[in-house]
Amino acid sequence: MENEHKISILGSTGSIGTQTLEVVRAYPNFKVMAMSANSNIELLEKQAREFSPKLVCVVNEEKANELKIKLSDTGIKVVSGKGGLIEAAVYDDVKTVVTAVVGISGLAPTIEAIKAGKNIALANKETLVTGGHIVTKLAKEYGVSLLPVDSEHSAIFQSMQGFSHSQINRILLTASGGPFYGKKRDELLNITPADALKHPNWDMGAKVTVDSSTLVNKGLEVIEAKWLFDIPVDKIKVLIHRESIIHSMVEYADNGVIAQLGVPDMKLPIQYALTYPDRLKMTDNALDFTKYSKLTFDEPDEDTFFALRLAKEAGISGGTLPTVFNSADEAAVSLFLGGKLSYPGISDMIARAMSAHKNTDDPTLDQILETDRWAREFVVSNMER
Ligand code: NDP
Ligand code: MG
């Protein structure tokens, strides 16, 4: 097809992955060449039959073998493991890789995709949090674009079009505040996974939903913004904005503030990352201002939700500390969702892991992955029972 835009979707079965496929469904110029899941082969099989990619990856080996049998009538190649995820990331002729896997598992395939000359539509913020120094340097070296999918970063990116980077005063990164906004620590003690999985404005995967409630997600986003936009952490101001209508803003030297607004709908940032600098028509997401008689703003409560403060510390220090922040959180959230750690335990474990860690500057990928293992192990062996 003329103007075909070939893409690969890492994590096609997740929240961002399935919404990316909605965009593809609406615009047949997109052609999915490769897609991946961790273990959800029921959905991946359906997706493969609908979108006919050349290759699918199931990270879980056993599930990959099951899918191989199910798809044996199709000619679609099924690969597995971390190596398979990299095959999906570097697949021939793919122009853009949508990194929609969750967690640090996105880092290595993103690095390989960049080395293969692919543009990155980046949803997986953990990639920049843990390996931002490597990824941004490689992107420059290989001349590829890192296009943000995260709604706040897309808003910032949109608010920077046509303006000079040197005239930026600061970034105003908005946060919904999550379901526990206004609560104090003693009110958080008995929060259950079901409570934490209810987000007021966005429908997202489990880990990012819990991270939104602890403000870990906003902390990860501060570090993500630092790398994406080359802005120091102290010029990134987090602002609670309960309505999630302003997706973030940029303040310039003359105190003029440019913002991007819209209803909470990830399809807009997803498709903008795929079509930048063009905009595709969307029909169902117009913003009706009269439905919002006011937009509100507040300071984040960094004493109660102190993970945000920890993230800023990690972002300022750099080195392996942001990986400790990220990976202690990944391990703690998984224990919390499994009923093995209390809700305040998530932020407590991040703090303890960070203070026990000896930071390494400018780490290699191996050092980052080693730090990831260390932080997970620290959380599991030190958690309250
Ligand atoms: P989901 O949990 O909904 O989906 C995650 C995807 O990654 C699934 O396809 C899953 O496969 C796969 N996956 C899970 N674990 C692994 C692993 N270890 N290795 C490889 N693949 C894996 O997550 P989201 O879509 O919500 O989030 C994806 C990323 O996008 C995250 O980094 C998140 O922070 C970011 N993001 C998400 C937003 C949202 O609205 N959801 C907004 C902004 C950013 P399977 O289905 O088989 O488990
Ligand atoms: Mg976000």
Side-chain angles (χ1 to χ4, degrees):
M1 190 183 290
E2 219 184 314
N3 293 328
E4 200 168 62
H5 184 160
K6 292 182 174 154
I7 66 173
S8 166
I9 307 173
L10 307 183
S12 62
T13 51
S15 161
I16 294 289
T18 51
Q19 293 179 85
T20 304
L21 289 172
E22 283 181 48
V23 172
V24 172
R25 238 179 238 124
Y27 287 96
N29 279 1
F30 292 117
K31 167 71 188 142
V32 183
M33 303 297 283
M35 52 199 344
S36 83
N38 189 37
S39 61
N40 185 352
I41 55 169
E42 288 71 28
L43 182 55
L44 190 60
E45 181 188 357
K46 276 196 202 129
Q47 295 178 337
R49 290 189 184 278
E50 180 180 351
F51 294 94
S52 305
K54 303 283 183 210
L55 177 138
V56 295
C57 167
V58 185
V59 175
N60 180 298
E61 310 270 349
E62 252 173 61
K63 295 279 180 185
N65 286 333
E66 279 179 47
L67 186 64
K68 231 176 244 173
I69 296 165
K70 286 175 190 279
L71 287 179
S72 56
D73 61 317
T74 62
I76 298 171
K77 185 174 174 193
V78 180
V79 296
S80 64
K82 291 180 180 168
L85 195 59
I86 291 176
E87 269 189 72
V90 303
Y91 196 83
D92 261 1
D93 296 342
V94 162
K95 185 174 162 207
T96 308
V97 177
V98 181
T99 62
V101 295
V102 62
I104 197 171
S105 60
L107 178 59
T110 305
I111 289 177
E112 293 307 318
I114 294 172
K115 288 185 182 164
K118 318 291 188 195
N119 289 328
I120 308 295
L122 187 131
N124 180 264
K125 57 194 88 183
E126 297 89 343
T127 290
L128 287 182
V129 170
T130 57
H133 58 295
I134 298 175
V135 168
T136 49
K137 193 164 159 231
L138 279 176
K140 273 201 196 100
E141 195 179 321
Y142 285 84
V144 305
S145 307
L146 296 176
L147 297 152
V149 167
D150 211 345
S151 57
E152 295 79 358
H153 303 72
S154 177
I156 295 162
F157 183 59
Q158 291 177 57
S159 302
M160 286 181 173
Q161 298 306 311
F163 294 94
S164 160
H165 186 273
S166 64
Q167 291 170 352
I168 293 172
N169 267 356
R170 56 181 184 154
I171 285 175
L172 298 158
L173 184 70
T174 54
S176 73
F180 311 131
Y181 168 72
K183 290 198 189 301
K184 294 293 169 197
R185 187 174 169 101
D186 57 349
E187 298 172 275
L188 298 178
L189 293 173
N190 299 316
I191 300 277
T192 65
D195 299 329
L197 289 172
K198 279 187 224 127
H199 193 277
N201 304 335
W202 296 97
D203 184 13
M204 309 176 287
K207 188 239 175 198
V208 61
T209 306
V210 174
D211 283 352
S212 296
S213 77
T214 52
L215 295 198
V216 163
N217 182 55
K218 211 46 56 180
L220 295 170
E221 289 183 355
V222 168
I223 305 174
E224 182 186 12
K226 162 186 144 165
W227 289 113
L228 269 177
F229 305 116
D230 192 18
I231 298 276
V233 167
D234 64 4
K235 290 193 170 180
I236 304 171
K237 161 85 189 140
V238 173
L239 196 58
I240 302 288
H241 166 49
R242 295 291 284 158
E243 297 80 13
S244 299
I245 293 298
I246 297 180
H247 297 306
S248 279
M249 317 183 242
V250 181
E251 181 190 273
Y252 289 92
D254 55 2
N255 291 326
V257 177
I258 308 292
Q260 187 258 336
L261 286 72
V263 297
D265 180 353
M266 287 308 296
K267 288 202 289 302
L268 189 154
I270 291 168
Q271 69 180 41
Y272 190 68
L274 290 173
T275 62
Y276 167 79
D278 293 329
R279 286 178 183 268
L280 293 179
K281 193 163 177 57
M282 283 185 80
T283 47
D284 56 353
N285 64 343
L287 175 58
D288 179 356
F289 278 92
T290 61
K291 287 207 176 120
Y292 301 88
S293 58
K294 60 180 177 194
L295 297 178
T296 60
F297 305 95
D298 195 4
E299 289 287 344
D301 173 1
E302 290 190 18
D303 293 327
T304 307
F305 300 96
F306 59 90
L308 177 57
R309 201 171 52 220
L310 296 173
K312 289 184 193 165
E313 281 169 31
I316 290 168
S317 306
T320 42
L321 203 57
T323 300
V324 175
F325 176 85
N326 173 76
S327 301
D329 174 66
E330 284 192 37
V333 168
S334 154
L335 290 168
F336 166 68
L337 289 174
K340 294 189 181 129
L341 182 67
S342 72
Y343 182 79
I346 300 172
S347 303
D348 290 346
M349 287 313 308
I350 300 173
R352 286 174 61 190
M354 280 174 64
S355 52
H357 182 66
K358 208 169 152 292
N359 201 9
T360 304
D361 280 337
D362 203 18
T364 61
L365 177 59
D366 282 347
Q367 287 172 317
I368 292 168
L369 297 179
E370 176 50 37
T371 303
D372 171 64
R373 277 189 290 275
W374 175 85
R376 286 170 196 274
E377 167 62 31
F378 181 91
V379 170
V380 172
S381 51
N382 287 279
M383 71 176 180
E384 46 179 33
R385 278 169 214 278

